[in-house]
């Protein structure tokens, strides 16, 4: 029993070789990221959306009140933060997206090391980067919303089959709220998915689950109340349709439903959720 406990401890503790592998992983991600910076990317989205929004914020303009943006303010505010240090340039966007990728991949490597050897963990981390960022050298709301989901997922995996301290429930609320104000649809799914994960695995901690719900409601509702009082934020909250032409009814469109059901990503996601979240 003592040997097993010692092995388990060593398995979760990074060695000097692990730190060397993390350093190599960092250089590889920087190298791959640079391909996108020089125009060779697998994610050809228009970087001007984030660039212009963050530039306006850096100049003191207020989103929704002074100018229109199509998504939640989080990714634009994050980019304006990087503008403080690197200027309003494409290089600043490069650093921003690189920073997100490195955080996700390094934490993922650490999580993998509790189950796999160094080589497998290294390969998995490279594939995570490619699937997460797609060689894109600029931040995008699709990347940022999954960034918050991954952080929450890794946080929950760190305590799998263990009682959760209250701060994990609160952190989950914060991450889900940030996700919601990055992109509504994914953020709402994030809130719901984590809630059901808590219900399934930690129903005995029902007080903490209520804490998660109350904290999430207060954060989402409080931010919405503040922004609607200070800006024209209700424009975005109505799914970006001005003046108030809501697209919520489209969610029940049979064609949309069939598109989802015919998507391979949908079934991969179901399998992932089943094995990671609902098998103890």
């Amino acid at each position: 029993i003592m040997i097993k406990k010692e092995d388990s401890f060593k398995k979760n503790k990074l060695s000097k070789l692990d730190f060397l592998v993390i350093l190599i992983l960092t250089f590889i991600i920087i190298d791959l990221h640079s391909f996108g910076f020089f125009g060779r990317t697998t994610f050809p989205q228009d970087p001007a959306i984030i660039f212009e929004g963050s530039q306006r914020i850096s100049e003191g303009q207020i989103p929704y009140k002074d100018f229109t943006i199509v998504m939640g303010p989080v990714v634009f505010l994050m980019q304006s933060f990087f503008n403080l240090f690197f200027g309003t340039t494409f290089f600043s966007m490069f650093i921003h997206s690189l920073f997100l990728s490195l955080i996700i991949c390094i934490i993922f490597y650490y999580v993998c090391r509790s189950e796999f050897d160094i080589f497998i963990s290294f390969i998995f981390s490279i594939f995570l980067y490619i699937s997460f960022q797609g060689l894109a050298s600029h931040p995008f709301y699709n990347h940022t919303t999954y960034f918050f989901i991954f952080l929450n997922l890794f946080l929950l995996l760190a305590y799998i089959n263990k009682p959760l301290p209250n701060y994990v429930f609160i952190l989950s609320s914060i991450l889900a709220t940030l996700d919601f104000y990055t992109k509504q649809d994914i953020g709402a799914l994030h809130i719901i998915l984590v809630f059901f994960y808590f219900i399934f695995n930690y129903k005995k901690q029902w007080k903490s689950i209520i804490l998660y719900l109350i904290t999430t409601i207060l954060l989402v509702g409080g931010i919405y109340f503040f922004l609607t009082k200070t800006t024209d934020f209700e424009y975005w909250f109505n799914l970006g349709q001005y003046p108030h032409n809501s697209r919520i009814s489209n969610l029940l469109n049979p064609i949309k439903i069939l598109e989802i059901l015919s998507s391979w990503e949908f079934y991969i996601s179901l399998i992932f959720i089943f094995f990671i979240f609902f098998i103890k």
Side-chain angles (χ1 to χ4, degrees), residues 150 153 157 267-278:
F150 277 127
L153 173 62
L157 286 178
Y267 295 100
I268 293 295
S269 299
L270 287 182
I271 294 172
F272 180 78
I273 291 169
F274 180 75
F275 279 101
I276 298 300
F277 278 77
F278 297 110

Side-chain angles (χ1 to χ4, degrees), residues 152-173 194-209 211-212 277:
N152 207 343
L153 173 62
F154 297 155
L155 176 66
L156 296 176
L157 286 178
Y159 288 92
I160 197 162
N161 294 329
K162 302 175 185 177
L164 291 180
N166 281 334
Y167 82 86
V168 173
F169 291 91
I170 294 174
L171 277 178
S172 294
S173 297
V194 171
F195 173 71
F196 279 108
Y197 174 74
F198 289 151
I199 289 291
F200 185 87
N201 292 284
Y202 300 98
K203 50 182 173 289
K204 292 183 179 179
Q205 295 183 251
W206 59 271
K207 291 182 180 179
S208 297
I209 296 174
L211 174 66
Y212 165 78
F277 278 77

